[in-house]
Amino acid sequence: MPTSFTVVPVEAQGEEREPAERDGQRQEEEEEGEEEDDERDRGSGDGVARESSPFINSAEMDRGNMYEGKNMALFEEEMDSNPMVSSLLNKLANYTNLTQGVVEHEADEDSKRKEVKVPRMGTFIGVYLPCLQNILGVILFLRLTWIVGTAGVLESFIIVFMCCACTMLTAISMSAIATNGVVPAGGSYYMISRSLGPEFGGAVGLCFYLGTTFAGAMYILGTIEILLTYISPSAAIFKAEEVGEETEAMLNNMRVYGTCIIILMAIVVFVGVKYVNKLALVFLACVILSIIAIYAGVIKTAFDPPDFPICLLGNRTLSKRSFDVCAKFIESNNETKTTTLWRLFCDSSLLNATCDDYFSLNNVTEIQGIPGITSGVLADNLWSAYSEKGSIVEKKDQPSVAGSEDTKMGGLPYVFTDIMTYFTMLVGIYFPSVTGIMAGSNRSGDLKDAQKSIPTGTILAISTTSFIYLSCIVLFGACIEGVILRDKFGEAVNGNLVVGTLAWPSPWVIVIGSFFSTCGAGLQSLTGAPRLLQAIARDGIVPFIQVFGHGKANGEPTWALLLTAGICEIGILIASLDSVAPILSMFFLMCYMFVNLACAVQTLLRTPNWRPRFKYYHWTLSFLGMSLCLALMFICSWYYALIAMLIAGCIYKYIEYRGAEKEWGDGIRGLSLNAARYALLRVEDGPPHTKNWRPQLLVLLNLDSEQLVKHPRLLSFTSQLKAGKGLTIVGSVLQGIYLDKCTEAQKAEENIKALMGVEKTKGFCQIVVSPHFRDGISYLIQSAGLGGMKHNTVLMAWPQSWKQTENRFSWKNFVDTVRETTAAQQALLVAKNIDLFPTNQERFTEGNIDVWWIVHDGGMLMLLPFLLRQHKVWRKCKMRIFTVAQMDDNSIQMKKDLQMFLYHLRLNAEVEVVEMFENDISAFTYEKTLMMEQRSQMLKQMQLSKNEREREAQLIHDRNTASHSAPAVKASVAAAVPEKVQMTWTKEKFVAEKHKNKDSNVSGFKDIFNMKPNQSNVRRMHTAVKLNGVVLNKSQHAQLVLLNMPGPPKNRKGDENYMEFLEVLTEGLDRVLLVRGSGREVITIYS
């Protein structure tokens, strides 16, 4: 069957309308004027203002060109907020504008960012060389030979392998994070904070800053040690006046020179940081030349070992600083003369002098300190030789005769150990030599392709340095005598740097090279650490350091530099390189641990944004790296590890408590969401056991016309009842259509959240916009919460103005809310006179919380006072429980039973049974009931005449409109009037209608005054009046009265009377909490 088609052009589409569309044409024509006014402000076709997109710069956009074509006319109304993809691709590819994610994270920094520089550096210059420079340094030249000699080749190999494996695993994790999107300047701090959140980011960032600062102190101490020990020992200010004071004098020299160098370096960094960066390559060249000199020296030992003789007395190593000839006496002109060595051990230079016992019994021998790589000395150096502080460095296989043990060692020219050595201590001293792997990621902003260069350069640098360290350990053990290796300051080789003795062509290559490299590393630390602190300060997550975000006009961090120099000075005052090294090891290890944690968390969560270009990572590797970092922390020094963790923990809690709110889409938030989802799925298995039951509140708030909370004390009472435990949902209803009221709803939510913060109410806020206020309350009761985390109790304020029909939360809404909570099996708490309830700052020093237990409601009345008394406001109030005995009840037995019940519930409360006997209904009760029913009848009459009142108002409006404007009243205005009303009014009709209404009203009011009260209502009123009198008698001065709330009548015709009963029941009481149970037991006597 043929089908006819009509082709409608895009422009003409509006003309071809369906009949259903024409029905709304009149309304659309009326709104045309409004639409033209709103068109300028509107961000999208639905009339909702959209968030401004970071890709759009309206000043540069030529809108005319954009809307020229008609192919995309369907989307043209949304072009302001959702631009065409074609206009974005070039900007996205070249990063000429910020990506959307960065705008979300760094919105407050948009104004500060300047035009991005064109990146120039490749992998070799930008990542590989800076990493080499930062990794190789002071420990290699000053301590590695000593570590090999003390721990032996095998254990040294284990130490270095562990540390290098730790940094390699960290580099893999870092590479994954660094290639997951663009990493702006900020390096490791940026990566950790954006992956783990502001709390972890701030804590680890500050730890990394402290580590970098103490590294500066360590490099400066290394510089001074090289200067005073190997270059110019005569430059020492403090000299050892007595034997044994050499160490103390050296430390004092370190402190004085260190302070001077810190001041000098700080001035250099302050004045000319660009010169520091230019000199970096010179310092790196010194390091590389020194390492080449070491390898050249090793090769030379194979065929021509250098001549560095060592003098031994028995098996004890002698320091050659005090003598030159390694012999007891020498033959000169056929005459035996004693040497300087003799005079050091004997009381005179004569051959018959009294000498040290060990000196007399053992011979002086001389051996080569560097026998060479082919000598087989490696076998002797395989095993460890740990020692106590102050012990003599001895050669293991050298024969010796023990002397008397009471001989004093002090003053004799032996080589002594200056500290006690053990495996874990050596790990702490060595670890700083593998740090510096972040140097490449810190320069990510200056790289051509950071996502390619950072992984390649960092992993290559770690591989290179690991090979250098591991090979040096084996080569040192194979070339150098063990006693020389254990001689930390080279005293046995005339005060030469031990590694320098191995180097070719001269020891001075190493001395000068290491001096400049340590100087350069110190300057780099003093340059980098203040910038790191400035980045943290500018993020605004740690309020007390925000002052350090300021600096000079060119952005140089002046205040941060001063703080860095001050912290550096603390390290200088410690003065011992071996004591400072473990401190910075802790901070670096903590930083690396969290880099691994960040990668593991992101990988396991599989967040959609986790798409690293670097593919050679796995969560198990990250977890292994994290575990290794943690193990190394405690291996190095368990007390330093605990202190570092305590510092990080304090910073974390401080940021959590006082810090700025930042949403960076971090992994910890994702982890929390996953944990919450898992917990919610577990909780939903079934209702909680009675032992776990606590009131999970839905608090219904009323808002005024300004969207402010009418009764803030309701939130105060909530926080007193909950004390931060369990679930609290604070809800409110706005009347209207959501599209029209979305801005007001947002404002209301902000106001409620602000008040929740002030009142310390921990919970969630939920605003519902509904055409009818009544329906909105119903939606909240039905749907608030999620899964097992739903409310089981509704808390609301008593509607004080319920008798006013204009009140939107009228008695009908209230009674229906009571019915709905019962249907939903939820408890209900109604606070009457809520504005008289205490604030969180008030404290009741005395008084009672009175519970009137009339009907059993599952124990809610017992549980609520117990929870309230946990809070400081109610803590000193005593709990009293009243119950009512009828004519047939044994009140004495009731009191005993109630006391036993409270004893089993472990609740402390006074118990009283109030007898309330049946008696005749008083005239007051009868009159009260009659007045109530008459009022109810009048309200019904007024409700019936509501339509007439509306007609009269409409007529007046029409007349006023007609007098001001000639045209007829629009049909849309008349549409608001009910359909049965005539559209055209005449004077005769109006007068007839008026007389008709008047007559009906008069006859209705006559019936009201002749009516008799309903007997059921009289009995209910009697109960309310009688019970109110009993409660007033006992609890008029109580701080709070808790009362069973009777349910609404099953017959809905008596709803207004129900409100009157409750009003009479609570009359004369200051603070009342009406309680209606949920129908289940909420308190138990069992454990």
Side-chain angles (χ1 to χ4, degrees):
M1 181 176 174
T3 308
S4 60
F5 292 96
T6 304
V7 180
V8 182
V10 174
E11 301 90 81
Q13 205 165 17
E15 299 169 11
E16 299 294 322
R17 298 192 182 187
E18 293 295 327
E21 292 181 307
R22 290 199 191 97
D23 294 343
Q25 186 174 0
R26 181 179 60 194
Q27 188 175 352
E28 289 172 9
E29 286 171 0
E30 290 169 6
E31 293 173 359
E32 272 179 4
E34 292 175 18
E35 286 179 358
E36 286 171 8
D37 293 336
D38 293 345
E39 192 69 37
R40 294 189 302 273
D41 305 324
R42 182 162 76 170
S44 60
D46 57 5
V48 180
R50 298 289 178 91
E51 207 174 338
S52 61
S53 172
F55 301 121
I56 297 302
N57 189 341
S58 55
E60 299 172 3
M61 188 76 67
D62 186 0
R63 297 191 182 194
N65 293 339
M66 181 183 287
Y67 298 143
E68 241 174 37
K70 299 295 183 183
N71 293 336
M72 293 297 165
L74 189 61
F75 299 96
E76 69 181 15
E77 289 187 340
E78 297 184 347
M79 287 289 185
D80 286 348
S81 58
N82 300 339
M84 295 294 297
V85 172
S86 56
S87 66
L88 298 184
L89 288 177
N90 186 49
K91 293 181 181 181
L92 282 170
N94 297 312
Y95 304 115
T96 55
N97 210 326
L98 298 175
T99 62
Q100 199 161 7
V102 175
V103 168
E104 288 168 4
H105 302 161
E106 309 296 331
D108 57 330
E109 294 180 12
D110 286 350
S111 58
K112 299 174 190 174
R113 293 185 186 274
K114 296 181 180 177
E115 191 177 345
V116 180
K117 294 178 183 177
V118 180
R120 294 182 306 276
M121 290 194 286
T123 303
F124 187 74
I125 297 292
V127 181
Y128 182 73
L129 291 182
C131 284
L132 274 190
Q133 182 186 0
N134 280 266
I135 295 171
L136 299 170
V138 63
I139 301 293
L140 170 64
F141 301 119
L142 295 185
R143 293 290 181 270
L144 192 59
T145 51
W146 173 71
I147 289 171
V148 172
T150 307
V153 172
L154 292 179
E155 288 184 30
S156 300
F157 200 89
I158 292 169
I159 291 171
V160 174
F161 183 79
M162 274 199 310
C163 296
C164 291
C166 173
T167 53
M168 180 60 83
L169 291 169
T170 304
I172 291 170
S173 299
M174 186 192 74
S175 299
I177 297 171
T179 58
N180 186 50
V182 182
V183 179
S188 56
Y189 161 69
Y190 184 92
M191 289 190 292
I192 295 168
S193 62
R194 270 52 176 184
S195 297
L196 291 179
E199 294 89 357
F200 276 111
V204 180
L206 285 176
C207 284
F208 190 53
Y209 163 73
L210 290 173
T212 309
T213 307
F214 275 105
M218 184 189 74
Y219 291 131
I220 291 167
L221 290 173
T223 304
I224 303 161
E225 185 176 309
I226 293 167
L227 177 69
L228 296 181
T229 310
Y230 307 115
I231 297 177
S232 178
S234 59
I237 299 168
F238 298 91
K239 309 282 185 184
E241 295 178 359
E242 295 181 15
V243 176
E245 291 184 357
E246 294 87 351
T247 305
E248 190 59 38
M250 186 64 179
L251 293 181
N252 287 331
N253 285 320
M254 291 274 201
R255 292 181 181 113
V256 173
Y257 275 95
T259 305
C260 296
I261 290 180
I262 281 235
I263 294 168
L264 187 66
M265 283 187 172
I267 292 169
V268 169
V269 172
F270 178 76
V271 172
V273 70
K274 57 184 177 182
Y275 300 115
V276 177
N277 293 329
K278 286 179 180 176
L279 287 170
L281 284 175
V282 176
F283 297 138
L284 177 60
C286 292
V287 176
I288 293 171
L289 283 174
S290 301
I291 291 168
I292 292 170
I294 292 169
Y295 281 111
V298 169
I299 295 167
K300 183 175 177 290
T301 61
F303 52 86
D304 183 17
D307 182 31
F308 278 101
I310 307 166
C311 194
L312 299 176
L313 176 62
N315 65 349
R316 296 176 177 177
T317 312
L318 297 175
S319 171
K320 285 188 125 181
R321 289 181 187 272
S322 309
F323 63 93
D324 49 357
V325 179
C326 183
K328 291 183 179 181
F329 32 77
I330 54 172
E331 296 287 335
S332 177
N333 299 325
N334 295 325
E335 184 181 351
T336 304
K337 292 182 180 179
T338 56
T339 61
T340 310
L341 182 63
W342 178 280
R343 290 191 288 277
L344 289 171
F345 282 92
C346 303
D347 57 1
S348 74
S349 58
L350 300 174
L351 288 171
N352 59 354
T354 306
C355 295
D356 177 76
D357 194 23
Y358 189 85
F359 182 76
S360 304
L361 293 172
N362 290 279
N363 294 323
V364 175
T365 55
E366 198 170 53
I367 61 170
Q368 275 300 326
I370 302 178
I373 197 167
T374 56
S375 62
V377 75
L378 178 64
D380 299 331
N381 293 330
L382 279 177
W383 312 109
S384 61
Y386 299 118
S387 58
E388 296 292 325
K389 181 180 179 179
S391 58
I392 301 170
V393 176
E394 298 178 342
K395 184 169 168 57
K396 297 175 189 174
D397 55 353
Q398 190 76 7
S400 69
V401 180
S404 59
E405 293 183 5
D406 59 346
T407 306
K408 290 183 179 180
M409 298 293 184
L412 299 178
Y414 293 125
V415 177
F416 296 98
T417 55
D418 62 334
I419 53 172
M420 186 175 72
T421 53
Y422 43 92
F423 179 79
T424 56
M425 187 207 71
L426 296 180
V427 175
I429 291 173
Y430 173 74
F431 188 80
S433 66
V434 295
T435 59
I437 62 171
M438 302 288 188
S441 63
N442 289 348
R443 298 179 179 217
S444 55
D446 300 323
L447 301 171
K448 281 181 186 173
D449 185 359
Q451 299 193 0
K452 179 183 176 185
S453 297
I454 289 175
T456 310
T458 306
I459 290 171
L460 273 178
I462 293 173
S463 304
T464 306
T465 52
S466 299
F467 171 77
I468 289 170
Y469 283 128
L470 292 169
S471 62
C472 280
I473 284 170
V474 176
L475 295 174
F476 290 164
C479 294
I480 306 174
E481 186 63 54
V483 287
I484 296 287
L485 290 172
R486 289 192 292 280
D487 181 7
K488 186 188 285 185
F489 300 110
E491 293 178 25
V493 285
N494 301 320
N496 278 304
L497 184 61
V498 174
V499 71
T501 59
L502 183 63
W504 180 86
S506 166
W508 285 101
V509 175
I510 299 289
V511 173
I512 302 299
S514 60
F515 178 77
F516 280 117
S517 75
T518 49
C519 271
L523 277 171
Q524 290 283 355
S525 296
L526 279 180
T527 307
R531 279 162 177 69
L532 179 59
L533 182 63
Q534 188 181 43
I536 300 168
R538 284 185 172 173
D539 259 346
I541 56 173
V542 188
F544 73 87
I545 65 164
Q546 285 189 359
V547 66
F548 299 110
H550 307 300
K552 292 195 291 187
N554 61 354
E556 290 300 320
T558 310
W559 294 108
L561 177 61
L562 286 174
L563 181 69
T564 304
I567 296 172
C568 243
E569 181 62 21
I570 295 171
I572 295 298
L573 293 176
I574 294 172
S576 170
L577 189 146
D578 300 324
S579 301
V580 173
I583 296 174
L584 66 105
S585 294
M586 289 304 121
F587 291 125
F588 277 120
L589 278 166
M590 186 169 288
C591 179
Y592 296 166
M593 181 174 75
F594 280 104
V595 169
N596 285 300
L597 174 65
C599 183
V601 165
Q602 298 277 29
T603 308
L604 288 172
L605 287 179
R606 296 176 183 172
T607 50
N609 191 50
W610 181 246
R611 305 184 299 274
R613 286 195 178 279
F614 181 78
K615 300 297 181 187
Y616 306 102
Y617 70 94
H618 195 267
W619 69 268
T620 50
L621 294 176
S622 301
F623 190 78
L624 181 63
M626 185 180 71
S627 306
L628 193 54
C629 288
L630 189 64
L632 282 172
M633 283 176 73
F634 282 92
I635 286 171
C636 292
S637 173
W638 64 268
Y639 48 89
Y640 276 164
L642 291 177
I643 291 168
M645 286 180 167
L646 182 67
I647 292 170
C650 290
I651 298 168
Y652 178 95
K653 294 308 289 182
Y654 177 79
I655 295 171
E656 189 179 55
Y657 178 64
R658 291 289 306 278
E661 285 293 324
K662 296 280 183 182
E663 178 51 63
W664 287 331
D666 49 86
I668 294 297
R669 297 288 192 278
L671 196 62
S672 301
L673 284 171
N674 265 23
R677 183 185 65 85
Y678 176 75
L680 281 171
L681 290 172
R682 288 287 304 273
V683 167
E684 206 172 13
D685 288 347
H689 191 273
T690 305
K691 287 186 287 186
N692 295 328
W693 196 95
R694 65 164 60 244
Q696 317 284 12
L697 290 182
L698 168 63
V699 185
L700 298 177
L701 292 180
N702 279 344
L703 303 176
D704 60 18
S705 57
E706 298 295 320
Q707 314 308 330
L708 297 172
V709 178
K710 279 187 178 178
H711 303 293
R713 298 285 176 93
L714 200 59
L715 284 181
S716 305
F717 183 70
T718 303
S719 61
Q720 292 159 23
L721 182 63
K722 299 291 290 177
K725 304 293 191 298
L727 174 71
T728 303
I729 302 171
V730 181
S732 188
V733 177
L734 294 182
Q735 198 163 355
I737 305 298
Y738 182 69
L739 284 176
D740 302 332
K741 295 277 186 177
C742 57
T743 309
E744 291 177 35
Q746 192 173 1
K747 182 183 176 184
E749 186 172 356
E750 289 171 2
N751 291 341
I752 291 174
K753 283 183 175 177
L755 186 62
M756 288 171 71
V758 171
E759 298 293 345
K760 297 181 180 176
T761 306
K762 295 181 180 178
F764 308 98
C765 178
Q766 191 165 349
I767 303 293
V768 170
V769 181
S770 171
H772 303 289
F773 191 78
R774 166 75 201 81
D775 293 340
I777 296 287
S778 177
Y779 300 155
L780 276 174
I781 291 171
Q782 291 176 62
S783 61
L786 179 66
M789 285 294 282
K790 286 183 73 70
H791 61 279
N792 54 29
T793 306
V794 176
L795 172 63
M796 60 197 295
W798 172 263
Q800 299 286 0
S801 55
W802 65 273
K803 294 181 181 180
Q804 301 171 11
T805 53
E806 290 80 9
N807 180 26
R808 62 176 184 171
F809 196 71
S810 64
W811 54 269
K812 282 188 177 179
N813 291 342
F814 179 81
V815 177
D816 283 343
T817 303
V818 175
R819 284 198 176 100
E820 285 198 350
T821 53
T822 306
Q825 295 184 328
Q826 294 172 6
L828 177 66
L829 309 178
V830 179
K832 195 161 186 285
N833 301 326
I834 185 63
D835 294 327
L836 298 177
F837 276 59
T839 63
N840 290 328
Q841 285 70 42
E842 293 181 47
R843 301 285 182 270
F844 289 135
T845 54
E846 57 181 4
N848 300 313
I849 299 176
D850 286 357
V851 177
W852 284 85
W853 192 24
I854 298 161
V855 294
H856 182 56
D857 61 347
M860 274 284 283
L861 281 168
M862 309 292 180
L863 189 62
L864 291 173
F866 169 76
L867 294 174
L868 277 175
R869 290 179 69 237
Q870 307 298 309
H871 197 273
K872 293 175 183 177
V873 173
W874 305 94
R875 189 164 291 163
K876 294 188 178 178
C877 293
K878 293 180 180 177
M879 183 175 164
R880 297 193 302 181
I881 296 183
F882 299 90
T883 190
V884 177
Q886 301 294 325
M887 181 71 78
D888 301 331
D889 295 330
N890 183 345
S891 58
I892 298 171
Q893 187 61 41
M894 277 180 69
K895 185 171 183 178
K896 286 182 180 178
D897 292 344
L898 185 52
Q899 285 173 334
M900 182 57 69
F901 180 58
L902 290 176
Y903 175 77
H904 286 310
L905 287 177
R906 289 94 62 204
L907 293 175
N908 295 321
E910 295 178 23
V911 173
E912 191 170 336
V913 177
V914 179
E915 295 179 343
M916 200 169 83
F917 301 125
E918 290 288 337
N919 55 5
D920 293 334
I921 295 170
S922 65
F924 171 75
T925 304
Y926 194 85
E927 186 182 349
K928 191 100 175 169
T929 311
L930 185 60
M931 286 172 62
M932 176 187 76
E933 293 196 354
Q934 285 174 347
R935 180 183 173 280
S936 175
Q937 196 65 28
M938 284 174 69
L939 283 172
K940 285 179 182 175
Q941 291 286 348
M942 290 167 70
Q943 192 68 28
L944 286 172
S945 63
K946 187 178 178 184
N947 289 340
E948 286 82 350
R949 290 205 312 276
E950 283 181 1
R951 289 194 199 103
E952 287 183 29
Q954 185 63 49
L955 180 63
I956 294 165
H957 175 74
D958 291 350
R959 282 180 176 174
N960 289 339
T961 308
S963 64
H964 286 93
S965 58
V969 180
K970 287 187 178 179
S972 60
V973 177
V977 182
E979 290 176 7
K980 62 182 179 182
V981 180
Q982 293 287 340
M983 289 304 174
T984 309
W985 285 78
T986 63
K987 186 177 180 181
E988 292 78 14
K989 281 185 180 180
F990 174 67
V991 171
E993 190 73 24
K994 194 172 181 182
H995 283 297
K996 178 183 164 188
N997 293 343
K998 190 175 181 181
D999 295 343
S1000 64
N1001 286 346
V1002 170
S1003 63
F1005 285 125
K1006 282 181 182 175
D1007 293 341
I1008 289 171
F1009 291 118
N1010 293 332
M1011 66 185 291
K1012 291 184 179 180
N1014 183 292
Q1015 287 303 309
S1016 172
N1017 287 343
V1018 172
R1019 282 189 291 107
R1020 288 167 186 253
M1021 182 64 78
H1022 174 69
T1023 306
V1025 170
K1026 195 85 183 344
L1027 194 54
N1028 176 254
V1030 172
V1031 173
L1032 273 177
N1033 183 36
K1034 297 286 184 181
S1035 303
Q1036 189 167 12
H1037 302 295
Q1039 302 291 11
L1040 180 65
V1041 176
L1042 283 84
L1043 196 62
N1044 278 119
M1045 182 179 180
K1050 292 182 180 178
N1051 182 7
R1052 287 176 179 256
K1053 291 180 180 177
D1055 283 359
E1056 64 272 23
N1057 300 337
Y1058 171 69
M1059 297 294 290
E1060 195 71 51
F1061 295 143
L1062 292 180
E1063 195 76 71
V1064 171
L1065 181 63
T1066 57
E1067 198 171 0
L1069 297 170
D1070 287 341
R1071 302 184 193 93
V1072 183
L1073 189 66
L1074 294 169
V1075 181
R1076 185 159 172 75
S1078 60
R1080 60 161 292 169
E1081 293 292 331
V1082 299
I1083 194 166
T1084 178
I1085 63 174
Y1086 299 106
S1087 62

